[in-house]
Structure formats: C-alpha cells, structure tokens
Amino acid sequence: MPGESLKESTLRGVRWLMLTRLAGESFALAASVVLARLVSPADFGRAAVAIIFVPLASILTFEGFASALVQRERIEPRHVRAAMAMSLLGGLALSGAALALTPLLWRPLFGARTAALIALAAPVFGLAGAGAVSRALLWRELDFRRMSVIDVGGLAAGALTALALALAGLAATAIVLGALVQVGAVSLALLVAAPAPLPRWHRGAQREIGAFGLPAALAGLADVLFRNVDYAILAARLSAAQTGIYWRAFNLGVVYQDKLSGVMMTLAFPVYSRTDSHAQLRALHERATRVHAAVIFAPLAALIVLAPLLIPFVFGGAWAPSVRPAQILALAGMAAAILTGYPQAMLALGRPRALLRFNLARLVLYALAVTLAAGHGLLAVSLAVAGCYALILAGVYLLLLGPALGLSLRRLLAELGPALAGCLALGAVAEPLRLLCEAALPAPLTIALAGGGGLCAYAATLRAVSPAAWRDLLLLSRRLLPKKLAITELFIRRGRSAAI
C-alpha cells in the first residue's frame, strides 16, 4: 500500500497470507482425506501425472511473460500490454502442444487412461495465462491481502468440485477437473481485482520482458520438472497403485510443508525485489530461513514418529504402505523447507541464468537417481530422494547463495541448530509415549498425547537453546493474531526478560 515501508508491507502480507492459507489448506486437507477414501491409490497415481501440468502452467505463463513486471524497477503501459499479449498467446500455444502430444507421447509412455487425463488437463495453460499479468500487478503493489483471498477462494472452489465429482463416481477425473476449476477461478478473480489492459504487440517491450522472462521461465520449468519428474518416472516404470502410494508419501513428507512454505514463496520475490541492498536481502533471507525451519521442522518430526498410526487412521488402511516412505521423505521435506526462497532471491538479484543452470543440473541429478532407484522399490526411491535433497541444499549455498549473497553452509547449520535440537527432543518424548499408549488407547488419543507431548518438548528445547528463534516465533504469532492475546504478550515479555 502507498506510504507503507517494506517491513510494514511484509508483516501485513505475512498476516494475511498465513491466516488465509491456514483456512484454505485446512479445508483442502479435509477434502483430501475424504478423497483418499473415495478414490483408490491407483487412480490417485494416474491423476498425479496429469496434475503435473497445473504448477507447470502457472510457472511458464507467469515467469515467462509476467514476472519481469515485478522485477523491473519501472514499467510502462507498453510493457503491461505486451506481457498480456504474450501470456494469452503463450498459454493457448502450450495448451495446444500438450493436447497434440497425447497420441505421440503421453499414451505410449503412460497408457491410455493416464493420457486421457493429461488431455483433459491441457487447457490449464490457457487458464493460467489469462491471469498472469493481473497477478504480477498485484505482486508489484505488494497487495498480499487480495492475492491471498483470491488464492484461497480458488483452492476452495477446486476442492469442492473434486469432492462433488468424486462422490458422483468420477474418481481420477474428479481430481483433474477440480484442479482446472481452481486455476480458472483464480484467473477470473485476478482479472476482476486487477484488470489488465487489452493485449498489444510491441517488439521493444517484448524483447525487454523476454530477456528476463525466458531464462526465468526455463528455470521455473526445470524447478517444476524437478518437483514432479519422480511421479512421471514411477508412472512409466511401476504400477499405478505404487505411484499412488508414493504420491501420498511425498505429499505428506514434502508437499504439505511446501503449502506452508508457500507463504514465504509468495512474499519472497516481490519483497526481495524491493530491498535496497544485498545486505538487506541477505538479512531478510537468513531470518526467514531460521523462522521457517523452526515452524516446519516440528510437524515433520512429529510425522516421522506418528506416521504408523496417523496415516492409516486419517487416510484409511489402503494407504498403510505409504508409512515408511513418508517417514523417509519427511527428511527431504526438512531440506526442502530450508531451500524455500532461494529461487526468488536469485531472481530478485537479476540472475535468472545462474538459477537456470543450477536447476537444470539439479533436475538431471534427481531424475537419474530416481530412475536408478525405481527398480529396487519405493523405499529405495525415498532414500534416493532424501539424499538428493541434501546434496541440492549444499549446492544451493556453495554455488548460488554463497557467491551471490555471502551466505555459507557453516552459518546455515548454526541457524538450524536450535530447530534440530528441538526435533531430537520431540522424538525422545513422542516415540516412548506412542509405544506406551498405542496398545491401550484408541489411535486418536494416542496421536494427541504423543504428538502434544513431543511438540511441548520441541518448544521447550527451542526456547532454552535459542531465545532469539523463540522470540521470532512469538513475534510472528503476535503479528498473525487479530488481537493481542494476554498469553502471547506474557511469553514475549518473559522472552525479553530472559534476553536481558
């Protein structure tokens, strides 16, 4: 908003994004639990391949044709009109290409049923392209309130559609149609909230947009392929049911933390792009990483301990084979949480080509590891994925953030120490409680007791080991609450007293 400092805009954005994301993702999680009991693992495995195109569409249309509107210090009407023309034409062209490849590539590779779902998902590129410029205009103004409401509204519309169609017996088709409704609803709302001008071809503006957008889009493409290539490889080499089991495990271990990380990812690029210096960007990224790890590590550590009870109870007995893979992939989720925000930092620094080169190398390493492990079962695949995430984390700091911002692995480990200590304390308390209670108590009560005890141990350890990280969490919670609660203020005052 005009007149606000970068810090005020960021804090306002954090509050809106966290509150709306919490509401939206809670609803989406409830919907996914119902879907897990309506749709078989095999159908989930087929749908997982088709909905790869949803994040792919958002990345290619936004990064390729609209992200330059956020990154550039100044934009003119010709830039906006040219970006609108490029996003509309590019989205339609990508939809046509995805559809045309159905008989040539998708059907021979994945089979007729999965290929039909991919063809059904093809229009998602055109739908995403329609709202790309409007999203860029809202990001440029740091209008996180409207963006968060729009995204959550689209999420709810998609989830309700998928549930209704799954109840009607459409199985995998319901999941794909729900995703299409979500993207279409978001683009429509974006156009209403930030109307884009009529598209117009302008060579000069398109060259300026393309100089940034092309490598940014290719870097984003490599990132989306990295996040989804494992599904494609497993769908081509294993059964649909095994792919579905892996999909569930990967969602629990990695993707659900990404949903929380989405708050940071949404804020990072526009906020980082408005920093005054590399030092300010570095300080923002370091603090965000520390708080992010403190928030994300606790539920992932709890998942590792509680997965044998939690997964069958919540999703049904058909998903029990995903327990061990999910426990292993939670380690990958921790690494992914630390990695959150590095692409946005590189883009804000104006280095999309360096990001592209790294993402391509990362994609090749990951695809090779999953391909080699696929013949040895899902546990081997999960171990390979966790190992790749650890190597990628080291590479990001050694090859990208180190040279660009002066961030080091040694400093990162020091920042993560309190959260890792909290995870050890959580496991030391929650695991014995689970083993003690599961034979005598119902699963929900065991989960509540073991999980609650573990989280209390995590919080106590974090406060004792790192008062700074503890104060950051308390201050963040205070910013998120609509009113200052007495207990929050009490904790903050105690934290300040302890620091003194």
Side-chain angles (χ1 to χ4, degrees), residues 252-324:
L252 288 169
V254 180
V255 174
Y256 283 153
Q257 72 82 20
D258 271 347
K259 294 178 182 295
L260 294 174
S261 302
V263 174
M264 180 177 171
M265 293 174 67
T266 301
L267 288 166
F269 182 39
V271 170
Y272 287 174
S273 296
R274 296 294 171 269
T275 53
D276 296 325
S277 65
H278 287 188
Q280 187 184 17
L281 198 160
R282 180 174 61 248
L284 275 174
H285 188 74
E286 280 189 317
R287 190 170 188 182
T289 300
R290 183 177 68 207
V291 175
H292 201 229
V295 172
I296 299 294
F297 278 24
L300 289 175
L303 172 65
I304 293 173
V305 174
L306 299 175
L309 283 177
L310 186 67
I311 292 175
F313 172 73
V314 174
F315 297 101
W319 298 98
S322 65
V323 168
R324 292 300 181 196

Side-chain angles (χ1 to χ4, degrees), residues 35-306:
L35 282 173
R37 297 175 180 273
L38 296 173
V39 181
S40 70
D43 279 322
F44 263 102
R46 297 185 185 97
V49 178
I51 59 177
I52 290 173
F53 290 90
V54 176
L56 194 62
S58 298
I59 287 291
L60 289 180
T61 56
F62 179 80
E63 300 289 356
F65 309 122
S67 62
L69 300 180
V70 183
Q71 194 270 342
R72 290 178 66 88
E73 184 176 351
R74 295 180 181 179
I75 59 171
E76 301 172 11
R78 63 189 179 94
H79 293 116
V80 183
R81 292 182 182 275
M84 191 65 187
M86 295 168 74
S87 64
L88 288 175
L89 291 175
L92 292 174
L94 289 168
S95 288
L99 190 60
L101 287 173
T102 299
L104 301 175
L105 184 60
W106 314 134
R107 191 175 296 136
L109 192 58
F110 302 117
R113 295 176 68 179
T114 301
L117 293 173
I118 294 174
L120 182 63
V124 72
F125 292 96
L127 293 173
V133 170
S134 295
R135 180 178 292 277
L137 295 176
L138 289 177
W139 274 25
R140 186 173 180 84
E141 297 300 323
L142 303 181
D143 192 345
F144 300 116
R145 180 180 65 83
R146 281 196 289 180
M147 286 190 300
S148 59
V149 171
I150 288 170
D151 286 338
V152 169
L155 184 67
L160 287 172
T161 300
L163 280 175
L165 296 177
L167 287 169
L170 293 186
T173 302
I175 298 172
V176 176
L177 288 175
L180 285 175
V181 168
Q182 177 180 343
V183 175
V186 167
S187 287
L188 179 60
L190 285 170
L191 286 168
V192 172
L198 293 175
R200 180 176 297 176
W201 205 254
H202 194 292
R203 288 187 179 181
Q206 283 156 343
R207 281 196 299 269
E208 293 172 7
I209 291 170
F212 179 86
L214 180 59
L218 291 175
L221 172 62
D223 183 66
V224 171
L225 291 177
F226 167 77
R227 294 173 184 272
N228 294 278
V229 71
D230 45 357
Y231 300 151
I233 292 170
L234 296 183
R237 299 197 60 185
L238 303 178
S239 69
Q242 287 177 299
T243 305
I245 291 296
Y246 175 82
W247 180 89
R248 175 65 64 197
F250 192 84
N251 268 259
L252 288 169
V254 180
V255 174
Y256 283 153
Q257 72 82 20
D258 271 347
K259 294 178 182 295
L260 294 174
S261 302
V263 174
M264 180 177 171
M265 293 174 67
T266 301
L267 288 166
F269 182 39
V271 170
Y272 287 174
S273 296
R274 296 294 171 269
T275 53
D276 296 325
S277 65
H278 287 188
Q280 187 184 17
L281 198 160
R282 180 174 61 248
L284 275 174
H285 188 74
E286 280 189 317
R287 190 170 188 182
T289 300
R290 183 177 68 207
V291 175
H292 201 229
V295 172
I296 299 294
F297 278 24
L300 289 175
L303 172 65
I304 293 173
V305 174
L306 299 175

Side-chain angles (χ1 to χ4, degrees), residues 308-359:
L309 283 177
L310 186 67
I311 292 175
F313 172 73
V314 174
F315 297 101
W319 298 98
S322 65
V323 168
R324 292 300 181 196
Q327 290 174 311
I328 297 169
L329 290 169
L331 299 175
M334 291 180 181
I338 305 166
L339 287 167
T340 300
Y342 88 86
Q344 290 77 12
M346 295 302 293
L347 290 176
L349 290 168
R351 301 189 183 185
R353 287 181 172 81
L355 179 63
L356 170 60
R357 290 191 294 269
F358 182 85
N359 282 358

